[in-house]
Amino acid sequence: MAQPHEDRSGPDATPRRGRFRWIKWVSAIALIALLVVEGIYLWPSMSESWRALTEMHWGWAAAAVVAQLLSLSAFAGLLRKVLRAGGVRVSLSRSTSVVYGSTAMAVTLPAGLVFSTAFTYRQTRRWGATPMVASWQLAVSGVVSTAALAAMGAVGAFAVGSSISPVTLLLSITAAGALLIGLRYVAQNPSSIKTFVTWNLERFNRLIRRSADAGIEAFERALSQLEAVHLRRRDMLAAAAWSGLNRVLDMICLGFACWAVGGTPSLAGLIIAFTAAKAVGSVPLAPAGLGFVDGTLIATLTAAGLSASQSLAAVFVYRAVSVVFVAAIGWITVAVLYRGVSAGADIDPVAERTVLQPD
């Protein structure tokens, strides 16, 4: 027997969301009005910035490109040095290609740092790194890079004077250094944490009513992989040197971008502008810190001695080189060298248990 059809054509069937459609139109009109007002207000600076770009010194712009390429090569050197401490040897060209690919992902994709980290981890595994060594490399590289940035910020703060307190930056350097020393100690003495971790893991298993030895075998296996890491003092110094070179060359790229549009920032102001922008960019608010980094750079470069129009033009040049140009090279590299490579391709199963010992 057919069921009676319910009539939904009554007045109450009108979608509720239609009643609030006017809010979208009002919001759109308000946004357009705001953009028009800001455009009128900023037009003098924007027109002067456009003039600075059309009269750009292309030699300095080319120097900015070279500095950025060298900066990424320096980070590839850091990657090689840290992996070598774990017994994994890789050529500069291969490590550089991974740096370009991971950078392209970091600056263009939503949650780009997640994809970038996963990409780097997968490639280091393909080179023969154990899971522990690959993860350890990511941690050490991040700590060394953060320490280098904090050191640059402290130098800039001291150079500027008492108007900017260097205490926070010095604390950052101290914390990063302590963490790096701790990682080195654990890598050299992996058994030092065995008792502590095992004791806590057994009690956690009892708390969640699992077998007392659950997870201990996996932990001991990871610990045995960490024993292959030999991060000597000279390796730490070399890693710090590569990381510092990476940061300094990136800052030089920003300086060349300023000179390309006729700006002459003070050295201390340039350091502060660079470190402040990188600190803001480390917060994953948008791909490449779009908007947040640019606003920080414009404000700090203006304080460093550039006019507002020169700051806007300089930021455009710097971001075109460090984001657009690098992302283009990175995605081309991924398409040519890494397209179609599955997550487990070319991973040596022997590397799960051992790696080559360093010289």
Side-chain angles (χ1 to χ4, degrees):
M1 180 177 178
Q3 298 293 326
H5 180 70
E6 183 179 356
D7 185 10
R8 299 180 182 270
S9 60
D12 293 338
T14 304
R16 290 177 176 266
R17 61 184 179 180
R19 302 176 184 177
F20 301 100
R21 188 175 300 172
W22 62 273
I23 295 179
K24 293 194 302 183
W25 288 103
V26 171
S27 301
I29 294 173
L31 178 59
I32 293 173
L34 178 62
L35 293 175
V36 170
V37 171
E38 288 186 348
I40 295 173
Y41 177 76
L42 296 174
W43 175 249
S45 296
M46 293 176 65
S47 61
E48 292 178 11
S49 298
W50 176 253
R51 187 181 306 111
L53 288 173
T54 56
E55 299 173 356
M56 182 168 51
H57 301 281
W58 289 101
W60 288 123
V65 172
V66 173
Q68 188 61 222
L69 295 178
L70 292 176
S71 173
L72 293 175
S73 297
F75 193 81
L78 169 63
L79 175 66
R80 292 182 68 216
K81 176 56 66 176
V82 176
L83 282 174
R84 188 177 178 84
V88 180
R89 289 161 173 76
V90 60
S91 66
L92 180 61
S93 60
R94 294 179 70 185
S95 60
T96 303
S97 68
V98 167
V99 169
Y100 276 108
S102 62
T103 302
M105 295 177 186
V107 301
T108 57
L109 297 176
L113 288 177
V114 176
F115 292 98
S116 172
T117 301
F119 175 75
T120 303
Y121 175 87
R122 185 168 67 245
Q123 300 312 318
T124 54
R125 291 281 289 108
R126 292 179 62 215
W127 296 337
T130 64
M132 177 56 69
V133 170
S135 302
W136 179 85
Q137 172 270 320
L138 290 170
V140 172
S141 297
V143 170
V144 174
S145 185
T146 301
L149 182 64
M152 288 183 64
V155 171
F158 280 120
V160 167
S162 59
S163 60
I164 298 179
S165 174
V167 174
T168 302
L169 293 171
L170 289 177
L171 289 176
S172 300
I173 297 173
T174 303
L179 182 57
L180 183 60
I181 293 173
L183 288 172
R184 179 173 178 264
Y185 177 80
V186 170
Q188 291 182 327
N189 306 276
S191 59
S192 62
I193 63 171
K194 181 177 180 180
T195 302
F196 175 78
V197 174
T198 302
W199 186 84
N200 284 277
L201 189 57
E202 288 176 349
R203 275 146 187 80
F204 177 75
N205 288 335
R206 292 174 184 172
L207 182 64
I208 62 175
R209 297 181 179 180
R210 285 198 312 179
S211 173
D213 60 351
I216 293 180
E217 182 180 353
F219 167 71
E220 291 178 345
R221 186 165 57 249
L223 207 60
S224 65
Q225 294 174 8
L226 191 59
E227 291 177 351
V229 176
H230 298 272
L231 186 62
R232 294 162 292 192
R233 185 173 302 175
R234 66 180 183 182
D235 295 325
M236 286 183 60
L237 294 175
W242 279 117
S243 181
L245 187 61
N246 162 251
R247 294 296 193 181
V248 170
L249 286 169
D250 195 4
M251 186 191 68
I252 290 175
C253 174
L254 176 60
F256 285 159
C258 294
W259 291 345
V261 298
T264 53
S266 64
L267 178 59
L270 182 64
I271 296 174
I272 292 296
F274 175 79
T275 53
K278 290 300 179 182
V280 171
S282 64
V283 181
L285 300 173
L290 187 63
F292 303 96
V293 170
D294 306 283
T296 301
L297 279 174
I298 291 172
T300 50
L301 287 177
T302 302
L306 275 69
S307 65
S309 58
Q310 288 176 333
S311 297
L312 181 59
V315 171
F316 178 85
V317 174
Y318 173 69
R319 299 285 273 175
V321 172
S322 63
V323 176
V324 179
F325 178 71
V326 170
I329 295 179
W331 282 117
I332 291 173
T333 302
V334 171
V336 173
L337 299 179
Y338 301 105
R339 185 181 63 179
V341 177
S342 62
D346 300 333
I347 293 179
D348 185 2
V350 177
E352 295 289 340
R353 300 182 295 274
T354 184
V355 291
L356 296 175
Q357 295 296 319
D359 297 333

